[in-house]
Amino acid sequence: MSPTPSAKLGSFPGGNVISKLMCANTNPQTKERLQCPELGSLTCANCQLVRYCSKECQKSHWGKHKVDCKSPYLLPSWRPGWVQQNRAPTFVTHGSKSAQVPFGASAGYLWGNVPAIDFLNLARNEKKAAMDQDFKICFAASGDIRNLVKTVNGLPEGYRGKCEILLNDINDIVVNRNLVALFVLLSPGPSIEEAAEMAIHAIYSCALTSHMETHLRRCIDKIYGDPGRDGFRNTSFNMRGKGKLSIVQNTSGIDLIRTMLNSTYQLTTAINGMHQTMLNSQRTDYVERFLCFLEPQHRLGTVRFRKSGVLAPFSLDLVHFTHPNRLLFSPNGSWMTHDSASPLSGWNVSDIHASGERAGAIPGDLYGCLFFHLKEQFMSFAQRVQDCDIHIVVAGFNAQSICRAITKGSVAPFHKHCFDRIETSNVADYIGIPETLEDWAPLLRKDNKNSALIITSMNWIATQPDELERRPSPSEMKRCARMMGLDKGQTRPAAADLGLYSVLSVRLPKLLGIFRDTEGQFGRYLRNAGQVEQAARKMGLRMRKVHRIHPKRFGLSLLKPNEVVPNPSKEELYDIFLVGGIESTIRFVEFEMIA
């Protein structure tokens, strides 16, 4: 079979793909090239963010690189502006202490705010029997595609069964972004490697190359060519393998996305719109509060991403990203996600580092490592879809509405008692856990002992004022002190780190929350939130005491079911809660059929 001709959808100048970290020099001797095409092997000793193929390239690039290499964000002595100016930070004076205060012309959390989860977790459930088993999986309020990708990638190599997946969300922008991203990844044509790189930018980057923009418009013409009938749209597309990619939505759900994609603003307008949210002067203290927790290289990488808006290795010259990515902007060029949104929050940071290492990336270049991790995940996903019998239905409805439609048999191929996994995200935060169980329990498959319905609770802590105001226990303080290196006098805080609004005072509440034992309080919440255990039994379900899909909270392990408080290493704490930005109060509850 002859190789697929290049569609030039790669991230490197000229449309080539980036398989390994390249030399950072953008001043090569060969004039027709924008960036040196050799692999990077010599790491800049000062910033540890870029690599070069030779000393000559490093010297040639110094004129451009020195701005980053001498950045104050790389200094161990860096402190937030409010510390330097000896003033109260705005997140205190404005009366909000939450790190997740929404700001910006938002369409929601388009990138997800918890790491991707494999909701099959076959190693702890169906095990070897999964090789030939048919699965139906429901993501009732999906957000982006990360859980879908992670779950499909969890299918065994050589999987011989049939997997049918429902990816639903109420947000029309989310639904159509997911559809476009999946079409880019899974439709026949470009190589899987090129499609994976383009999908990264379609989902996460504010700008595209000219080749990417042209291909995106071709995809959009194919996706939205059929307007639907009688206010309803049910269309299927061929994928790389034998499966189909289908969309089920009201035709009104495509009006905004069409307006977005047919807009005519230029990249400058889009960048300005992004900066009005991501670099807004009113939010400097909020951003620097997050930077307080980061290592120097990760600080600078975060600042660069917030400025450039392009998810790529730090060393990549972005001059060829010349077109706005209209999937991230409103029709007038306003940025559509919160200023606290970060692509890093949607993926496991330790896995990100491992992917970066395989590609020769530098650990300090965390966004570069994320680029290579996403590429691995997306390529594996597309390959599984090509090799296996996988069908994906994207839907755009309220979770309760899609549930009723499935019960009536209106969303083929799904029906009552068909799903092996139902992931409801945090729908229960809005309608209640008993109501969520009443809606979805009748759709759970009865003849699979591993069937599970998973509920995420993000907002429960806000209903528990006693827990929010409780003073930390001595054991919680001890764990926190150990992680900060203060238990044995290992670290003597600098003068700038002492005081009411010091860096230490900002870090302390976050760390105390991580080590807080909330098991009893969450149990009381479940009892008070509609008698959840009784509601589950009424629907033929029971809460699992030992989870088999995901731990009850972040930082715990499925291998230690009796643990109730995270006991991470310093590296795990940093990866999960600090650079990953995960809220430690998020809880998961798994329900299974009563035998």
Side-chain angles (χ1 to χ4, degrees), residues 27 29 233 312 336 372 472 535:
N27 296 320
Q29 298 300 314
R233 187 164 178 258
M336 290 199 307
F372 288 113

PDB file of all heavy atoms in Angstrom, residues 27 29 233 312 336 372 472 535:
ATOM      1  N   ASN A  27      16.812  30.923  13.236  1.00  0.00           N
ATOM      2  CA  ASN A  27      17.690  31.717  12.369  1.00  0.00           C
ATOM      3  C   ASN A  27      18.698  30.829  11.644  1.00  0.00           C
ATOM      4  O   ASN A  27      19.897  31.071  11.686  1.00  0.00           O
ATOM      5  CB  ASN A  27      18.470  32.761  13.202  1.00  0.00           C
ATOM      6  CG  ASN A  27      17.558  33.770  13.837  1.00  0.00           C
ATOM      7  OD1 ASN A  27      16.616  34.209  13.223  1.00  0.00           O
ATOM      8  ND2 ASN A  27      17.844  34.136  15.075  1.00  0.00           N
ATOM      9  N   GLN A  29      20.959  28.967   8.732  1.00  0.00           N
ATOM     10  CA  GLN A  29      21.696  29.554   7.610  1.00  0.00           C
ATOM     11  C   GLN A  29      20.942  29.398   6.293  1.00  0.00           C
ATOM     12  O   GLN A  29      21.044  30.228   5.410  1.00  0.00           O
ATOM     13  CB  GLN A  29      23.076  28.886   7.499  1.00  0.00           C
ATOM     14  CG  GLN A  29      23.952  29.101   8.730  1.00  0.00           C
ATOM     15  CD  GLN A  29      24.223  30.573   8.987  1.00  0.00           C
ATOM     16  OE1 GLN A  29      24.548  31.319   8.060  1.00  0.00           O
ATOM     17  NE2 GLN A  29      24.050  31.004  10.225  1.00  0.00           N
ATOM     18  N   ARG A 233     -31.886  16.964  13.379  1.00  0.00           N
ATOM     19  CA  ARG A 233     -30.783  16.539  12.517  1.00  0.00           C
ATOM     20  C   ARG A 233     -30.237  15.211  13.025  1.00  0.00           C
ATOM     21  O   ARG A 233     -29.817  15.092  14.165  1.00  0.00           O
ATOM     22  CB  ARG A 233     -29.689  17.607  12.534  1.00  0.00           C
ATOM     23  CG  ARG A 233     -28.558  17.373  11.566  1.00  0.00           C
ATOM     24  CD  ARG A 233     -27.744  18.661  11.377  1.00  0.00           C
ATOM     25  NE  ARG A 233     -26.618  18.425  10.482  1.00  0.00           N
ATOM     26  CZ  ARG A 233     -25.366  18.249  10.898  1.00  0.00           C
ATOM     27  NH1 ARG A 233     -25.078  18.306  12.178  1.00  0.00           N
ATOM     28  NH2 ARG A 233     -24.390  18.033  10.020  1.00  0.00           N
ATOM     29  N   ALA A 312       1.924  23.961  21.903  1.00  0.00           N
ATOM     30  CA  ALA A 312       3.035  23.418  21.127  1.00  0.00           C
ATOM     31  C   ALA A 312       4.283  23.409  21.994  1.00  0.00           C
ATOM     32  O   ALA A 312       4.311  24.058  23.054  1.00  0.00           O
ATOM     33  CB  ALA A 312       3.269  24.270  19.879  1.00  0.00           C
ATOM     34  N   MET A 336     -13.904  32.340  24.296  1.00  0.00           N
ATOM     35  CA  MET A 336     -15.119  31.719  24.818  1.00  0.00           C
ATOM     36  C   MET A 336     -14.928  30.836  26.043  1.00  0.00           C
ATOM     37  O   MET A 336     -15.847  30.134  26.436  1.00  0.00           O
ATOM     38  CB  MET A 336     -15.795  30.891  23.722  1.00  0.00           C
ATOM     39  CG  MET A 336     -16.413  31.719  22.623  1.00  0.00           C
ATOM     40  SD  MET A 336     -17.630  30.790  21.669  1.00  0.00           S
ATOM     41  CE  MET A 336     -16.664  29.358  21.202  1.00  0.00           C
ATOM     42  N   PHE A 372       2.912  16.322  23.045  1.00  0.00           N
ATOM     43  CA  PHE A 372       3.253  14.959  22.642  1.00  0.00           C
ATOM     44  C   PHE A 372       2.320  13.933  23.288  1.00  0.00           C
ATOM     45  O   PHE A 372       2.022  12.896  22.683  1.00  0.00           O
ATOM     46  CB  PHE A 372       4.713  14.667  22.990  1.00  0.00           C
ATOM     47  CG  PHE A 372       5.694  15.395  22.115  1.00  0.00           C
ATOM     48  CD1 PHE A 372       6.504  16.389  22.640  1.00  0.00           C
ATOM     49  CD2 PHE A 372       5.792  15.103  20.764  1.00  0.00           C
ATOM     50  CE1 PHE A 372       7.394  17.076  21.834  1.00  0.00           C
ATOM     51  CE2 PHE A 372       6.680  15.783  19.944  1.00  0.00           C
ATOM     52  CZ  PHE A 372       7.489  16.774  20.484  1.00  0.00           C
ATOM     53  N   PRO A 472      -8.512  22.954  60.847  1.00  0.00           N
ATOM     54  CA  PRO A 472      -7.810  21.707  60.527  1.00  0.00           C
ATOM     55  C   PRO A 472      -7.370  20.975  61.784  1.00  0.00           C
ATOM     56  O   PRO A 472      -7.015  21.595  62.795  1.00  0.00           O
ATOM     57  CB  PRO A 472      -6.608  22.191  59.711  1.00  0.00           C
ATOM     58  CG  PRO A 472      -6.442  23.634  60.059  1.00  0.00           C
ATOM     59  CD  PRO A 472      -7.806  24.140  60.347  1.00  0.00           C
ATOM     60  N   ALA A 535     -32.660   5.689  47.911  1.00  0.00           N
ATOM     61  CA  ALA A 535     -33.038   5.987  46.530  1.00  0.00           C
ATOM     62  C   ALA A 535     -32.401   4.995  45.564  1.00  0.00           C
ATOM     63  O   ALA A 535     -33.027   4.564  44.584  1.00  0.00           O
ATOM     64  CB  ALA A 535     -32.612   7.411  46.176  1.00  0.00           C
TER      65      ALA A 535
END
